[in-house]
Amino acid sequence: MTMPFQNEKQLIIRQNFRPIVNQYVVHLVGPDGKHGPVIAFAQQKRGKLKEEVILYTDDTKTTELARFKARQMLDIRAQHDVTGVEGGNLGMFAKDFKKSLLRSTWHLERPDAPRATGQERSLAGAILRRVWGFIPVVGAWLPAPTYHFDFVDEGGQPVLTVERQMKLRDQYLVSLPDSTMDRRLAICVAVAMDAIQNR
């Protein structure tokens, strides 16, 4: 399935405030660098023992684009398989629990492509983000520090960047330097950065 946004170099993903369920709206980047047209909508399914997020074309949730689902139940180290609406394998991602104790690290695999690893760009920022919630007044009233993830393959080539922006609600700028990266996979990984990053 060919995506009409497959050639896009950047996308914006913002989270909607909703009780219980996580929702995300995916935009093209407009000429002014702000939100362009909506191209996708993601929602985390409720009441699932195995975490699952479905990507749709819009908030009517009538047309599915892709989904990711954990292989294991309620496991912070779970591997997540990403499949297209036609059932094809788009890739797999998983959080590296041990390395993430100090600096969050994720692994990304794609068919016919080298394995990639994504890590928080700043070690100092990673440490600050971990202590932020333990500061009673500051952690309760101010937004957590931003974080940026850079994914590079085994040859050192950049494949995906996810940058959290300072907004009232969570928002991410997703950069896609690798033209072979399926944009649906990239969106699923970026959504996971928010939905399960802090577990």
Side-chain angles (χ1 to χ4, degrees):
M1 182 179 184
T2 302
M3 293 294 101
F5 49 85
Q6 177 60 34
N7 294 325
E8 296 297 324
K9 298 298 183 183
Q10 288 189 316
L11 301 169
I12 292 174
I13 299 178
R14 61 182 177 85
Q15 184 184 34
N16 281 339
F17 288 126
R18 297 290 184 272
I20 304 175
V21 67
N22 287 325
Q23 291 184 346
Y24 301 88
V25 182
V26 185
H27 297 260
L28 297 179
V29 178
D32 57 358
K34 297 181 180 179
H35 303 131
V38 173
I39 58 165
F41 174 87
Q43 180 165 305
Q44 189 173 28
K45 295 202 75 173
R46 306 181 194 205
K48 290 282 187 177
L49 290 178
K50 290 186 179 181
E51 188 156 35
E52 184 173 16
V53 174
I54 300 178
L55 184 66
Y56 301 95
T57 54
D58 54 44
D59 61 4
T60 64
K61 297 183 286 186
T62 55
T63 304
E64 183 178 331
L65 291 172
R67 66 176 62 201
F68 68 82
K69 186 174 183 178
R71 294 180 188 176
Q72 299 85 15
M73 293 187 296
L74 305 176
D75 186 348
I76 58 176
R77 295 164 293 187
Q79 295 174 308
H80 295 76
D81 293 304
V82 184
T83 55
V85 64
E86 68 284 356
N89 172 39
L90 301 183
M92 183 280 295
F93 62 87
K95 189 173 184 179
D96 189 319
F97 177 71
K98 187 178 294 185
K99 289 184 178 179
S100 294
L101 292 175
L102 181 62
R103 192 174 183 178
S104 292
T105 302
W106 294 72
H107 299 297
L108 171 63
E109 296 179 4
R110 300 178 286 157
D112 304 317
R115 188 187 198 202
T117 298
Q119 192 172 57
E120 285 183 87
R121 186 179 300 166
S122 168
L123 176 59
I127 295 172
L128 175 61
R129 196 168 62 81
R130 281 154 177 73
V131 302
W132 194 257
F134 294 102
I135 306 173
V137 177
V138 176
W141 294 100
L142 294 178
T146 60
Y147 58 81
H148 309 308
F149 279 84
D150 299 307
F151 284 79
V152 297
D153 66 21
E154 293 169 335
Q157 295 300 310
V159 297
L160 172 65
T161 297
V162 180
E163 298 178 292
R164 184 177 181 182
Q165 301 179 315
M166 288 294 289
K167 302 289 182 181
L168 290 177
R169 53 183 171 180
D170 288 347
Q171 179 171 297
Y172 302 87
L173 177 65
V174 180
S175 298
L176 301 145
D178 185 345
S179 62
T180 67
M181 166 72 75
D182 191 299
R183 276 30 182 175
R184 294 170 294 173
L185 173 61
I187 292 169
C188 286
V189 172
V191 165
M193 296 284 95
D194 185 274
I196 59 181
Q197 162 61 24
N198 292 321
R199 297 183 190 174

